Amino acid sequence: MAKPALLAMTAGICWGTSGLVMRYLSAYGFDAVEIGTMRLLIAAGVMCMVALRCPCGMRVELRQLPWLAIMGAGCLFFYSLCYVLAVQAVSLSLTAVLIYTSPAMVMLLSAMLLHEPLTRHKLLALTLTFSGCSLAAGLFPAALHYSWRGVGFALLAALLYALYAVLAKIQTQRADALTVTAWSMLFGAAAALAMVDIPHSLSILRAAPESLLWVIVIGLLNTALPYLLYTRAVGQGEASQAAMMASVEPVVATLLGMAVFHEIPGVWACLGALLVISGLWVMSRKRDSVRGAVSQRQEKEG
């Protein structure tokens, strides 16, 4: 498996564990906006400190700052906000499925803006992973409540997620992925602070100081690390492939639910997980075959 694909899959695994941490934080009384703000604050602080200690530093071109602000405030913070608003208006399963239209959006945006090829392998992998996510979320066998407002927020969240991948691909050609991620987190945290109820969050931390451990975990393991890995994956490979490989997230979430909360997935969820894994295998096989063909060509020319 190519390195960018492995980086994106690892990012998806980290994101897949975030639901577990969110449950613990929600039990303490934090709402979704507060959790989103705290995870961005922790991630921004850590990423900036790491970047300042590296040769790349925080140096970017002045013309990059508006785009990094869009990546942080728009693609990171407002993605989380749109997700919360979507869940409030429609079912969680429908929201999850609509969010997973993002790989298709990345694929189309990458083909139009980055001139990445739109191949049969990608379309097959996209079909498998989207169908798998739909089954894992419980969309097909369930009766759902629809709301155009909720559907709109969910699709906007998917678009913001897709836009992050495309912008990250462009910005990592001008600066190191670590620097790009640090600036994005910084702008995202600034936007989040403008909308959060700070006194309420501090009161919970004072009443339950042990909750700070989970705040640190969601900031480092579920935010800083996966976004850095995902940004590097996009910078080193194709944005469309990275988005597809990160779709391992719902499979990880399902497995964690089984292991920690003793949730028993149904037949549809198991079939969905198999479809997602099949889609990832198609993508990885496609990259391996291309790399092998290039190596053979080089050996013949040598």
Side-chain angles (χ1 to χ4, degrees), residues 276-291:
V276 172
I277 294 172
S278 299
L280 301 181
W281 180 81
V282 169
M283 283 299 292
S284 64
R285 290 289 297 174
K286 178 252 180 183
R287 298 298 299 176
D288 290 341
S289 62
V290 170
R291 193 165 59 251

Side-chain angles (χ1 to χ4, degrees), residues 209-269:
E210 68 275 9
S211 64
L212 182 60
L213 173 62
W214 294 110
V215 172
I216 294 173
V217 170
I218 200 170
L220 296 180
L221 179 64
N222 302 133
T223 309
L225 179 60
Y227 271 105
L228 175 60
L229 295 175
Y230 187 70
T231 304
R232 287 200 181 279
V234 169
Q236 296 176 10
E238 294 182 349
S240 54
Q241 184 202 22
M244 197 80 64
M245 299 305 289
S247 297
V248 70
E249 177 184 349
V251 177
V252 175
T254 299
L255 293 176
L256 270 180
M258 294 172 58
V260 179
F261 297 107
H262 307 291
E263 298 174 350
I264 307 300
V267 176
W268 291 107

Side-chain angles (χ1 to χ4, degrees), residues 133-205:
C133 290
S134 300
L135 290 173
L139 174 64
F140 292 163
L144 298 173
H145 167 65
Y146 291 91
S147 162
W148 284 113
R149 179 175 176 270
V151 170
F153 278 124
L155 290 175
L156 180 57
L159 179 60
L160 291 172
Y161 179 88
L163 189 60
Y164 180 90
V166 176
L167 291 178
K169 178 67 177 180
I170 297 172
Q171 297 307 315
T172 49
Q173 295 173 354
R174 301 171 180 170
D176 187 81
L178 175 60
T179 306
V180 170
T181 308
W183 274 105
S184 299
M185 295 290 178
L186 196 60
F187 281 117
L193 280 173
M195 302 188 67
V196 72
D197 185 356
I198 297 177
H200 181 258
S201 302
L202 293 177
S203 66
I204 296 177
L205 289 173

Side-chain angles (χ1 to χ4, degrees), residues 33 36-37 40 71-82 187-189 191-193 195-196:
V33 176
T37 301
L40 283 174
M71 291 175 64
C75 301
L76 294 184
F77 174 67
F78 280 104
Y79 161 80
S80 300
L81 186 60
C82 288
F187 281 117
L193 280 173
M195 302 188 67
V196 72

